[in-house]
């Protein structure tokens, strides 16, 4: 259990450092720079460091640390909840940033800046976590350093099935995100954390259940077993397709591309009872007849 305690301390330290980074950047940077760059960099750094360490617990913990899958999944739920509460509006996920762009919630320049900040934060998180593992504070890290050069790809099924799995995970995640995005944080944060935990439990054995292209790039792209373009298809095209499908199903259209609703008809809020309309029409007929009669009785010159 010493290894588990060290990992929990690492989680708390990463959250604390990134929260301090958010606080300082919000205080000393402009709101635009903070929103597009610093917030996304800190969120991606925090999420990448936590997920890489949690991946060690998921893969090595059951046989190298003496604790089961339930411990790792519980930590995943708690970490997802903590991250959802501390991200301060950040996404740390390229597909979520692209979804906001398609919903007209961000500009093209802002979206590109967010994607660059996410890439930088994920790369920094990968480098810092590898440095932390090199200290070999626990037996789990010692084993991780031994197997790291020969790591295998997280794709454990055929390429089409892996793409469908990642796309389905992204579809469900974004559907829940669209449903609860305007909800109170007390409802939104646990709902998203439970969704992430459920998807990781069900789809993790097949693809790792990343449904986050930036995180997948830092975690599994360098491992052998599949080519670079195989990883692009599974971990980039699959989640993007799932996000687009969720957005189209939820909205009925993609606002950035077209305004017409393709799936749902536009219905008026106010309905006029037919009986009243009929009565008004029938009541107007005698008046029209009287007016016509009056007009015909007038002498003509």
């Amino acid at each position: 259990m010493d290894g588990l305690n060290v990992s929990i301390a690492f989680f708390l330290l990463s959250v604390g450092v990134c929260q301090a980074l958010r606080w300082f950047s919000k205080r000393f940077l402009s709101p635009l720079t903070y929103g597009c760059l610093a917030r996304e960099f800190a969120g991606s750094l925090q999420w990448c460091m936590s997920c890489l360490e949690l991946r060690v617990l998921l893969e090595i913990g059951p046989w190298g640390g003496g604790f089961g899958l339930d411990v790792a999944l519980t930590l995943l739920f708690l970490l997802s909840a903590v991250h959802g509460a501390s991200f301060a509006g950040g996404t740390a996920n390229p597909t979520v940033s692209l979804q906001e762009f398609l919903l007209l919630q961000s500009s093209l320049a802002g979206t590109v800046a967010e994607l660059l900040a996410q890439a930088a934060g994920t790369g920094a998180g990968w480098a810092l976590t590898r440095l932390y593992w090199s200290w070999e504070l626990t037996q789990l890290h010692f084993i991780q350093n031994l197997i790291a050069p020969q790591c295998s790809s997280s794709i454990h099924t055929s390429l089409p099935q892996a793409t469908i799995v990642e796309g389905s995970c992204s579809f469900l995640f974004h559907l829940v995100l669209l449903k609860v995005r305007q909800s109170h944080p007390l409802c939104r944060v646990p709902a998203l954390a439970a969704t992430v935990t459920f998807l990781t439990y069900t789809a993790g054995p097949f693809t790792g259940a990343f449904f986050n292209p930036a995180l997948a790039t830092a975690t599994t792209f360098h491992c052998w077993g599949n080519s670079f373009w195989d990883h692009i298809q599974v971990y980039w095209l699959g989640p993007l397709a799932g996000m687009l499908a969720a957005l189209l199903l939820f909205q009925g259209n993609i606002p950035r591309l077209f305004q017409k609703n393709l799936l749902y008809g536009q219905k008026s809020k106010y309905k006029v009872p037919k009986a009243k309309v009929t009565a008004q029409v029938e009541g107007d007929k005698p008046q029209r007849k009287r007016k016509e009669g009056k007009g015909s009785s007038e002498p003509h010159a």
Side-chain angles (χ1 to χ4, degrees), residues 82-161:
V82 170
H83 295 331
S86 63
F87 274 2
T91 64
N93 190 332
T95 59
V96 179
S97 297
L98 291 174
Q99 174 185 281
E100 293 178 352
F101 172 73
L102 294 175
L103 286 171
L104 305 177
Q105 296 175 353
S106 63
S107 63
L108 177 60
T111 303
V112 172
E114 287 185 3
L115 295 177
L116 294 176
Q118 290 166 3
T122 304
W126 178 82
L128 290 175
T129 307
R130 293 293 299 268
L131 176 63
Y132 158 71
W133 287 343
S134 67
W135 298 340
E136 297 183 355
L137 300 178
T138 67
Q139 184 179 4
L140 296 177
H141 297 153
F142 174 74
I143 299 173
Q144 172 63 27
N145 287 333
L146 288 178
I147 65 177
Q150 293 82 28
C151 68
S152 59
S153 173
S154 298
I155 302 175
H156 301 300
T157 183
S158 65
L159 205 60
Q161 290 178 349

Side-chain angles (χ1 to χ4, degrees), residues 197-226:
T197 305
F198 170 75
L199 293 176
T200 302
Y201 174 73
T202 54
F206 302 102
T207 61
F210 292 103
F211 49 94
N212 183 329
L215 181 63
T217 302
T219 304
T220 191
F221 269 42
H222 61 281
C223 295
W224 63 273
N226 289 94

Side-chain angles (χ1 to χ4, degrees), residues 6 9 22 123 126 168:
V6 172
R22 275 187 286 265
W126 178 82
S168 300

